[in-house]
Amino acid sequence: MAPYFETAKSFADVPITVDGVDTATFLLASTDFVNMFDLLGGGVFAFVQNDLRSNIAGVRHRYQVAPAESPTLEKLVTNECNGGGAGERHGTACLVRLLRGLWFTCEALRNMQQDRNAELHTCFKRSFDVNLKPNLPYLIRPVVAVAIRAVPHRQDFYARITQGGSHEKFDNELTKWLAGLEVIVLRLKTFLVQGGYGRV
């Protein structure tokens, strides 16, 4: 059986048109990305996964409420915020938090690829300090910092996540995933700020 990373939907394959980022494919890629960390076992990444899953569910709920008006993430947001959400912006708020969490994870994994000598917890700590810490309540920060220390060693991470597959192939696929995710996040960050919908 092929390793999970070879069958999961990649962010590199999420269609982007003039109308925006395809909602259904983005949700699938996000779900597959989060589920990949289940391979590490023991809820090692639970502090990230729980937040991401909750926010994926919030965006998915908004999509299911108004699928015809939400073919892209941009249209989902504009429809919800311009009267289609009955005064609520729950889907939009979830999208902002989801993008923030995905960006944190993206930057941590990119850091892991670029600094081959750094342990995984160091890569996640660097990303946390820049991407998440400023947006978290003061009392939550120490909890997340402790959770980051519990991530596996670099060697264990690769062994579990590749499931016996090629580390080089995983790195190549991960590079594509992260590049695809970066395009999506940067596009949506600009869209959200310019529209006054939120800040990632």
Side-chain angles (χ1 to χ4, degrees):
M1 190 159 93
Y4 181 80
F5 73 87
E6 291 183 17
T7 60
K9 177 60 77 177
S10 170
F11 288 109
D13 299 327
V14 175
I16 300 174
T17 66
V18 292
D19 291 329
V21 178
D22 184 79
T23 303
T25 315
F26 172 79
L27 289 170
L28 177 58
S30 297
T31 300
D32 282 358
F33 185 67
V34 173
N35 289 344
M36 180 172 64
F37 292 100
D38 286 341
L39 298 172
L40 300 175
V44 172
F45 280 91
F47 70 100
V48 175
Q49 286 180 292
N50 291 340
D51 183 60
L52 292 174
R53 283 188 174 128
S54 171
N55 290 311
I56 289 169
V59 176
R60 181 174 284 120
H61 175 72
R62 178 62 201 161
Y63 175 63
Q64 291 169 341
V65 165
E69 294 81 18
S70 309
T72 66
L73 294 172
E74 290 88 341
K75 290 195 172 189
L76 181 149
V77 170
T78 53
N79 176 262
E80 181 180 56
C81 294
N82 296 329
E88 287 187 24
R89 290 187 169 199
H90 182 69
T92 301
C94 286
L95 178 62
V96 169
R97 290 190 300 267
L98 174 58
L99 292 170
R100 194 178 288 153
L102 288 171
W103 188 244
F104 156 70
T105 309
C106 174
E107 287 295 285
L109 295 174
R110 182 175 286 152
N111 198 299
M112 175 192 78
Q113 288 187 312
Q114 293 170 347
D115 187 349
R116 300 279 177 183
N117 296 317
E119 276 298 340
L120 204 53
H121 71 83
T122 302
C123 299
F124 271 83
K125 174 77 167 63
R126 290 172 184 164
S127 182
F128 171 74
D129 288 345
V130 173
N131 298 297
L132 278 190
K133 191 174 181 179
N135 298 299
L136 289 179
Y138 182 74
L139 294 174
I140 301 296
R141 294 176 187 178
V143 175
V144 176
V146 169
I148 287 174
R149 295 289 301 173
V151 301
H153 291 287
R154 181 187 196 96
Q155 185 176 347
D156 294 338
F157 172 82
Y158 271 96
R160 292 181 196 173
I161 216 91
T162 59
Q163 297 175 292
S166 164
H167 290 202
E168 184 179 344
K169 189 170 185 180
F170 170 72
D171 258 338
N172 290 338
E173 288 303 312
L174 184 60
T175 298
K176 292 176 195 171
W177 278 35
L178 299 180
L181 179 56
E182 180 178 31
V183 168
I184 292 167
V185 171
L186 293 180
R187 177 188 176 102
L188 288 167
K189 279 174 83 169
T190 301
F191 165 79
L192 290 165
V193 168
Q194 288 179 346
Y197 301 122
R199 186 175 297 274
V200 175

